[in-house]
Amino acid sequence: MEQQNYLLTAFQLLGSLAMLMYGMKTMSDALQKMAGPQLRHVLGAMTTNRLTGMLTGVGVTAAVQSSTATTVMTVSFVSAGLLTLAQAISVIMGANIGTTLTAWIMSAGFTFNVTSLVYPVFIIAIILIYSKRRRVLGDFLFGIAFMFLGLGTLRQTGVDMNLGENEQVLAFFSSFDPNSFWTTLLFLLIGGVLTMCVQSSAAVMAITMILCSSGVLPIYQGIALVMGENIGTTVTSNIVALSAGTQARRAAFAHMFFNVFGVVWILLVFKPFVNMVCGMVGYDFEMQKEVVGAEAFANNAAKLSFVLAAFHTCFNLINTGILIWFIPQIERIVCAVIKQKPDADEEDTRLRYISGGLMKTPEISVYMAQQEIVLFGQRIQRMFGMVVDLHQMARNDADDKEFSKLYTRIEKYEGISDNMEIEIAKYLEQVSDAHLSDETKGKIRQMMREISEIESIGDACFNMGRTLNRKKQSGKVFTDELEYNIGQMLKLTDESLTQMNLVMQGRREDFNLNETFRIENDINALRDRLKQENLQALGEHRYDYAVGTMYTDLVSECERLGDYVVNVVQARLA
């Protein structure tokens, strides 16, 4: 029977932790759905210096209750060139402060029994979830209710376990010398390993609060676990970032450097600092049960959840206050440790934003996919630039080996564009399976159209490359007039691609279709004139039919490419 009780208690403990983690994730997802686009614009606009960057990180993280979401957005902005690495470091520092709000919410849940209050919230939430207009708000309330239900159940389970009276548990923790530096290091390591295993610092914080509030775990060891959680969560992000780009790995390493530095200086002043925090909260760390009695001891121990939250906040505030003045030096250290890959072009042939496993919530995932599509468009314009270079090499009768090398590179980029389309489409399909707002579902449909049209641009570039290669192999030569006309058509086509990428990188409200249509009309008018002149020239036998065919193939392919550009811009601005 006793064994069954232990088993039931274990299930209650794990189940309440699961409810807590699920509630926090649901709440964070809903908040990002409600305010995601606005928060992204804030993050991009309000990081002009280190102080505003830090405050932005605090505000965004506190708003969405997810330092991971803030870090993901920040890393993507760095990779896209919208933020410098120094600005990103300041935002990450702020995110560490913003995430301490979670500890305060949890400490409140451990101090006050709010379980009975969550059931009306569940009722309101389920009604809102089934109404289309307020579904996201319902998700938010549902997440809050689950979080506090998990906290309440966790608190009650801790009380029922009666750990403070369990001689075996007390004996286990008493075996560690609270005054030993090695004990502090051991519990710091345990906190880090536990956080990496469960992938949630909030869950480990909840366990720490149970152990401390029950009087089993001394405050010094509890604080050591909290410090370990801070390092454990950064180790996880660094492991995830290993397969991401250089800037993502640098930002993740800066996050780890920030927390490790804080832990090092805290260890130097560990006991005085912890005692100071205890004094702020009103916790008597010298109180003994045998002297004051069980009731007074329990009331004092109940304050420990607030001690942990206060320590977490003080730690991050002071750490940020110290390091925010040394951001340039941190940036140099990070860049020295995480070096740029020597072959930048090879690194540029893979997905940058959605291959690193950083996806945490659907709304952020959609943004990451959009950034990947922006990169897709830039790579396609680079591919078109290779076609322009190939045309110049053919015109100047360049060395066959160099010509063949560039043509092979264009061929390689055509394969890359095919793979990018497939991988981004797969990613968007996975995201679309999640619970999304109607606006986000519409974005995904538009993005699917964008990648299809951009891939078609890649096909058009490859077709032009094949035509130029065929011309080179046949030994045919264009007249100076034909070469000039092709150059004019390529120039207009490149102009249309430049405008497309400007639209892709900017905000919808800053652009319209007028400029894209103007360039497309110029391309169409030039195409019509050149085709008419070509027919006349063939009739006058100024060059042979094979030359005329390759010439019109290049002109027609440029015009088709312009049509694909219009389709991309229309999808982006829809």
Side-chain angles (χ1 to χ4, degrees), residues 39 80 153 156 226 245 339 351 356 392 431 468 479 530 540 544:
L39 289 173
T153 308
Q156 190 57 47
V226 172
K339 298 184 183 298
L351 300 182
Q392 288 297 325
V431 175
L468 290 169
T479 65
L530 295 183
E540 295 173 359
D544 62 32

Side-chain angles (χ1 to χ4, degrees), residues 38-310:
Q38 290 77 13
L39 289 173
R40 291 197 293 269
H41 298 324
V42 167
L43 194 60
M46 293 184 63
T47 52
T48 52
N49 59 59
R50 68 187 75 182
L51 290 175
T52 57
M54 184 268 290
L55 293 174
T56 302
V58 173
V60 171
T61 305
V64 300
Q65 280 295 290
S66 173
S67 59
T68 300
T70 305
T71 304
V72 167
M73 287 189 284
T74 303
V75 169
S76 66
F77 281 160
V78 174
S79 298
L82 300 176
L83 288 179
T84 65
L85 182 60
Q87 289 172 321
I89 292 171
S90 68
V91 174
I92 290 170
M93 287 180 178
N96 272 331
I97 297 174
T99 196
T100 61
L101 179 62
T102 303
W104 285 104
I105 293 173
M106 293 176 65
S107 64
F110 270 91
T111 305
F112 310 105
N113 189 2
V114 294
T115 306
S116 58
L117 300 178
V118 303
Y119 298 109
V121 180
F122 273 124
I123 296 171
I124 296 170
I126 202 68
I127 293 172
L128 292 174
I129 286 173
Y130 279 98
S131 68
K132 291 184 178 180
R133 295 183 62 183
R134 304 292 182 186
R135 185 173 58 190
V136 178
L137 178 59
D139 286 340
F140 171 68
L141 293 176
F142 197 74
I144 288 180
F146 249 113
M147 181 181 69
F148 279 107
L149 180 62
L151 282 172
T153 308
L154 202 58
R155 173 181 176 274
Q156 190 57 47
T157 303
V159 172
D160 294 341
M161 289 169 70
N162 201 17
L163 293 174
E165 303 297 329
N166 191 311
E167 296 297 332
Q168 292 178 331
V169 176
L170 288 170
F172 173 76
F173 285 108
S174 298
S175 64
F176 297 99
D177 182 4
N179 298 315
S180 171
F181 179 74
W182 297 110
T183 298
T184 302
L185 287 182
L186 175 62
F187 277 83
L188 190 151
L189 179 63
I190 292 172
V193 172
L194 279 176
T195 304
M196 285 188 287
C197 290
V198 301
Q199 296 283 297
S200 173
S201 59
V204 181
M205 175 69 83
I207 294 171
T208 306
M209 286 182 176
I210 284 181
L211 293 173
C212 287
S213 299
S214 63
V216 171
L217 185 65
I219 185 59
Y220 297 118
Q221 282 93 312
I223 294 293
L225 284 176
V226 172
M227 293 194 300
E229 294 158 19
N230 276 276
I231 296 178
T233 191
T234 64
V235 171
T236 303
S237 63
N238 273 269
I239 292 173
V240 169
L242 286 176
S243 58
T246 301
Q247 295 289 28
R249 287 183 284 118
R250 284 174 175 171
F253 183 75
H255 191 196
M256 174 182 278
F257 178 88
F258 174 85
N259 282 357
V260 170
F261 177 86
V263 167
V264 169
W265 72 257
I266 277 288
L267 287 174
L268 297 177
V269 293
F270 184 63
K271 285 201 171 182
F273 191 86
V274 174
N275 294 344
M276 178 197 73
V277 174
C278 291
M280 289 170 51
V281 177
Y283 171 76
D284 185 356
F285 59 89
E286 294 181 341
M287 184 179 291
Q288 296 180 359
K289 184 190 295 186
E290 295 79 7
V291 177
V292 299
E295 185 177 353
F297 184 81
N299 291 334
N300 188 51
K303 299 177 183 177
L304 278 170
S305 60
F306 285 107
V307 173
L308 294 172

Side-chain angles (χ1 to χ4, degrees), residues 413-428:
Y413 260 72
E414 201 277 332
I416 292 170
S417 71
D418 289 344
N419 290 334
M420 284 195 73
E421 180 195 17
I422 292 170
E423 291 302 317
I424 296 173
K426 284 181 180 177
Y427 185 84
L428 288 173

